[in-house]
Amino acid sequence: MSDAIKHECGIALIRLRKPYQYYIDKYDTPLYAVHKLSVMMEKQVNRGQDGAGVANIKIDVPPGRRYISRYRSVEPQPLTDIFSKIHKKFRKGLKDHKDRASDGKWLQENLAFTGEVWLGHLRYGTHGTNEVENCHPMLRQSNWRSRNLVMAGNFNMTNVDELFGKLVSLGQHPKEKVDTVTVMEKIGHFLDEENQRVFERFKGIYENPTLSDVIEDNIDLQRLLYRSCRDFDGGYAMCGLTGYGASFVIRDPSGIRPAFYYADDEVVVVASEKQAIKAAFNVEYSQIKEITPGSALIIDKNGEYNEFPILPRLEKRSCSFERIYFSRGTDPDIYNERKQLGKLLIPQILKEVNYDLENTIFSYIPNTAETAFLGMIEGLEEYLSKKRKQAIMEGILFEADLERVLSFRPRIEKLVTKDVKSRTFITADALRDDMVSSVYDTTFEVVRKNIDTVVIIDDSIVRGTTLEKSILTMLDRLNPKKIVVASSAPQIRFPDCYGIDMSKMKDFVAFRAVLKLLEERDLEYLLEDVYMQSVTSIATKNPYHTNYVKALYDPFTDEEISQKIAEIIRPKDLNAELSVVFQTVDNLHKACPGHLGDWYFTGNYPTLGGNKVVNKAFSNSHEGKLERAY
């Protein structure tokens, strides 16, 4: 994506279902789970590079022995840092005890990271500074084993203020008003209450320490999660480990954030992407299941597992950006969907090049748009096949004409190359323009000057900054007659509030285009109308039912907005003609039929809190505030 946006976070959970010694004997290493978790996390590193964390819990360790281990890192290569430390811990612990390297009981009693329950997390920060304290997994500690809680997740909540207020009303004093802390304390509170409920039930029947084991065997995680999550509004896939070894993964009722699992007689594993499970355990894709929205996969202390309904299911609105950009394209379903996204752009592209394929070169902006590019070329080949059939059916009199029709192929070139491995979206805003102008390079002497049109496909256009500051200027040096930028995603018009870091209205070039159109057509009064509706709804504590900002887009067609976007991103000294075409929302749904989350394109949010966020984001923009809306 030329204007890259921050990815979702990634989760990875492993539950060993057999005794630790089993894996040492079968796989000839005490590091079986370490290796598997490292593969799962490496295969999801696309989801988060600001930091990472790993936590591990041992089950039924004698009192006095440490049973929770955790490492977190914000080093430049956080996964390498964490797993190097874990390996170092093993080397150091076995230095004078090499004969114990295959003794599972001794290892569990003397070395950290030898437990049965593992949780890994990859972070892209959407809030706060990039400090190790902000990295998951988070830990809520207690001397009672069953009250300990470790949590990590891929989530954003739209109603943090309300959740914070509920915690305060319960008598808590949270240290921060952020969704990570709020969610952790909410679930932790009900874990405490569940412990107390079971304690009261059995306290006259059993004595300590037996009572502690009885409590752990009778904690109802399904009940606990319902009580904890019923007030949540947002997108989430959250993992939790209890100190006694039970674990859970809960998914939001709309299935906004992804979560998949695989289980056999040795392991239960969970990840944000199927490809991570496939790579680590070499299983068939058909064996990897999706956690049901509104449900929790609960794995008890004994390793038994099942899905349990927690919250009423809503219409499934899983994030379509997972399919367009975030998730690895090696997942066969995602690969085919991205190809389809490219193919479905063909009618618009042909119209923009006036069906003149002989004088058109097709390319893409590296590297994630490559699959959509392949689909685009496949669509062109299908179009040409129909034209050949038509020409033959109509009768071609001359052999030379027939040869030309049969041999013609689309002109394909790699015109843009990323020159250095830099992430321009991480760079500070003040330095961004200089950065984006230096990370791309172009291929010369393949475009016929002032004759050829260049069509270049991109995953999505968010800000338009990289196109304006770098790519279009470079392409113009090739002296094409026209440049067509094709986006495999629709116009991004509204903020996301469920995990993606797209929170400010003026970040979107589509919104800036609408502001220009409103000004040009004397419709600026609509801005004041929408602003008054937005601030009134927020002031009256009733901001949830209507997305007022949609009214700003209603007067204009998609094509009018696309034309204005082309004017905005056009560099002042560009010589070539320029046009921009976007995927339609209908075609997005056709390409990704099982993933209908489209609120950043349509403004149709899957939860009420989404409307609150978009109205607040517009109010902030109208008032000149740069703060986040959630």
Side-chain angles (χ1 to χ4, degrees):
M1 187 179 289
S2 59
D3 273 331
I5 53 181
K6 290 192 176 185
H7 300 222
E8 315 296 347
C9 295
I11 53 176
L13 181 147
I14 298 177
R15 171 59 158 94
L16 302 180
R17 302 186 70 197
K18 293 185 179 294
Y20 185 58
Q21 187 67 49
Y22 170 90
Y23 303 91
I24 297 174
D25 295 340
K26 181 173 180 177
Y27 298 103
D28 197 29
T29 175
L31 295 167
Y32 170 80
V34 176
H35 294 324
K36 294 299 185 183
L37 187 69
S38 67
V39 173
M40 290 177 70
M41 295 182 72
E42 284 288 352
K43 289 300 180 181
Q44 297 183 100
V45 76
N46 54 298
R47 304 187 69 84
Q49 298 176 12
D50 286 347
V54 168
N56 177 235
I57 289 181
K58 303 174 188 177
I59 299 175
D60 287 335
V61 174
R65 302 284 185 175
R66 183 179 294 273
Y67 59 93
I68 301 178
S69 305
R70 180 178 60 152
Y71 277 146
R72 297 178 294 173
S73 175
V74 290
E75 293 298 314
Q77 300 292 329
L79 283 185
T80 301
D81 182 46
I82 287 171
F83 285 104
S84 293
K85 287 179 178 177
I86 292 174
H87 281 81
K88 183 179 179 180
K89 213 166 194 46
F90 270 81
R91 289 195 302 271
K92 185 178 179 181
L94 291 171
K95 182 178 180 182
D96 298 322
H97 302 279
K98 291 185 173 57
D99 58 323
R100 298 285 197 172
S102 298
D103 186 341
K105 185 174 184 298
W106 185 89
L107 290 169
Q108 286 200 300
E109 290 183 359
N110 291 277
L111 290 185
F113 296 101
T114 55
E116 296 87 348
V117 195
W118 292 80
L119 179 57
H121 185 266
L122 297 129
R123 176 180 187 263
Y124 259 129
T126 57
H127 184 76
T129 56
N130 191 33
E131 297 176 349
V132 72
E133 288 78 13
N134 293 326
C135 284
H136 300 196
M138 299 292 185
L139 174 59
R140 191 176 192 264
Q141 292 182 287
S142 169
N143 277 340
W144 288 77
R145 188 170 61 183
S146 56
R147 292 175 184 252
N148 281 280
L149 180 64
V150 179
M151 286 201 65
N154 170 15
F155 64 90
N156 264 6
M157 298 298 169
T158 69
N159 61 335
V160 174
D161 288 345
E162 291 90 337
L163 294 174
F164 183 87
K166 287 182 181 292
L167 288 176
V168 173
S169 69
L170 291 170
Q172 290 197 21
H173 192 93
K175 61 182 180 180
E176 291 180 83
K177 190 190 285 188
V178 295
D179 54 7
T180 303
V181 172
T182 305
V183 166
M184 176 83 154
E185 292 302 326
K186 189 91 167 4
I187 295 176
H189 167 79
F190 286 107
L191 178 60
D192 288 343
E193 283 205 348
E194 181 65 13
N195 269 268
Q196 190 64 32
R197 182 185 71 86
V198 180
F199 171 77
E200 295 292 340
R201 178 184 171 190
F202 291 105
K203 67 178 180 179
I205 303 172
Y206 298 96
E207 300 293 332
N208 282 325
T210 304
L211 182 55
S212 295
D213 294 328
V214 172
I215 290 173
E216 294 175 358
D217 291 338
N218 285 275
I219 285 177
D220 186 342
L221 286 178
Q222 183 182 12
R223 178 178 184 271
L224 183 159
L225 291 172
Y226 165 72
R227 299 183 73 207
S228 304
C229 302
R230 58 190 171 185
D231 298 323
F232 291 171
D233 186 295
Y236 50 87
M238 295 185 292
C239 298
L241 315 181
T242 64
Y244 64 95
S247 55
F248 60 84
V249 182
I250 183 169
R251 196 172 178 210
D252 67 82
S254 298
I256 296 170
R257 301 271 66 83
F260 303 91
Y261 75 98
Y262 162 77
D264 58 27
D265 61 345
E266 292 186 359
V267 295
V268 181
V269 295
V270 179
S272 295
E273 297 189 28
K274 288 189 288 185
Q275 181 62 19
I277 299 173
K278 169 73 173 175
F281 295 91
N282 193 31
V283 298
E284 298 297 325
Y285 279 104
S286 59
Q287 296 175 276
I288 303 171
K289 303 181 186 304
E290 186 175 3
I291 294 178
T292 305
S295 296
L297 176 70
I298 296 177
I299 311 166
D300 68 20
K301 181 179 178 179
N302 300 313
E304 298 301 317
Y305 69 94
N306 209 339
E307 283 195 73
F308 297 90
I310 302 298
L311 299 170
R313 288 187 65 179
L314 303 176
E315 178 188 8
K316 190 179 179 190
R317 301 283 301 282
S318 51
C319 175
S320 57
F321 254 120
E322 289 282 353
R323 324 304 289 182
I324 297 166
Y325 176 56
F326 292 132
S327 294
R328 281 182 176 265
T330 46
D331 180 310
D333 292 335
I334 293 174
Y335 181 80
N336 289 322
E337 288 167 7
R338 289 180 184 172
K339 285 185 70 176
Q340 188 71 1
L341 286 169
K343 185 183 293 189
L344 290 170
L345 282 168
I346 289 302
Q348 292 169 265
I349 291 171
L350 289 172
K351 184 178 178 181
E352 285 297 332
V353 302
N354 199 26
Y355 299 87
D356 181 11
L357 296 182
E358 291 186 6
N359 298 310
T360 302
I361 293 175
F362 296 89
S363 191
Y364 62 94
I365 300 176
N367 285 321
T368 55
E370 184 175 5
T371 306
F373 171 77
L374 295 175
M376 179 178 70
I377 299 305
E378 198 172 281
L380 283 172
E381 293 285 5
E382 291 179 4
Y383 166 78
L384 288 171
S385 178
K386 291 177 182 177
K387 298 297 289 185
R388 293 187 193 104
K389 182 178 179 180
Q390 178 184 349
I392 293 170
M393 294 294 290
E394 291 175 354
I396 297 179
L397 299 178
F398 300 103
E399 184 177 345
D401 292 333
L402 180 61
E403 175 66 25
R404 184 178 63 83
V405 168
L406 293 178
S407 63
F408 182 80
R409 293 289 182 274
R411 296 172 62 194
I412 302 169
E413 304 289 352
K414 189 166 184 177
L415 297 179
V416 180
T417 305
K418 201 162 187 179
D419 198 31
V420 294
K421 292 183 178 180
S422 298
R423 289 189 166 266
T424 56
F425 58 94
I426 292 176
T427 304
D429 290 344
L431 302 176
R432 182 178 170 82
D433 289 354
D434 288 340
M435 177 64 76
V436 299
S437 66
S438 63
V439 298
Y440 292 100
D441 200 0
T442 47
T443 304
F444 287 88
E445 305 302 329
V446 294
V447 175
R448 293 176 298 177
K449 297 179 179 179
N450 303 313
I451 296 175
D452 289 334
T453 292
V454 169
V455 175
I456 193 155
I457 191 169
D458 195 355
D459 295 291
S460 181
I461 301 169
V462 187
R463 306 173 187 88
T465 309
T466 306
L467 287 167
E468 178 187 0
K469 302 292 184 181
S470 180
I471 291 172
L472 290 175
T473 298
M474 289 191 302
L475 288 174
D476 197 48
R477 293 176 189 151
L478 306 178
N479 298 117
K481 176 184 176 183
K482 183 177 182 179
I483 300 170
V484 178
V485 180
S487 168
S488 68
Q491 298 165 1
I492 299 174
R493 300 179 172 189
F494 303 95
D496 184 67
C497 50
Y498 304 120
I500 306 172
D501 190 24
M502 299 193 304
S503 58
K504 299 173 184 144
M505 293 295 300
K506 286 192 176 178
D507 280 350
F508 310 133
V509 67
F511 180 69
R512 301 204 307 273
V514 163
L515 293 180
K516 289 282 189 183
L517 289 168
L518 291 169
E519 179 184 354
E520 291 170 1
R521 301 188 188 183
D522 295 324
L523 296 173
E524 288 180 290
Y525 68 88
L526 288 175
L527 291 170
E528 291 301 324
D529 289 349
V530 170
Y531 174 68
M532 290 305 299
Q533 290 172 319
S534 297
V535 295
T536 301
S537 70
I538 294 168
T540 56
K541 307 294 184 183
N542 188 30
Y544 299 101
H545 297 291
T546 304
N547 175 358
Y548 296 108
V549 184
K550 291 169 71 173
L552 299 178
Y553 291 90
D554 289 343
F556 313 111
T557 65
D558 293 351
E559 291 73 19
E560 288 173 324
I561 297 172
S562 294
Q563 290 170 9
K564 187 56 63 176
I565 288 172
E567 292 178 23
I568 290 173
I569 67 173
R570 181 186 181 90
K572 292 180 180 179
D573 55 353
L574 192 76
N575 295 311
E577 296 178 51
L578 175 65
S579 66
V580 181
V581 297
F582 288 88
Q583 189 69 261
T584 67
V585 173
D586 286 344
N587 278 343
L588 170 70
H589 292 167
K590 185 184 295 185
C592 311
H595 305 273
L596 303 179
D598 61 5
W599 51 90
Y600 16 68
F601 309 128
T602 64
N604 299 326
Y605 288 88
T607 77
L608 293 177
N611 292 329
K612 171 190 172 185
V613 168
V614 68
N615 294 331
K616 180 64 174 174
F618 173 73
S619 300
N620 287 343
S621 173
H622 199 67
E623 295 169 5
K625 296 178 181 177
L626 299 178
E627 62 192 49
R628 290 160 52 92
Y630 59 93

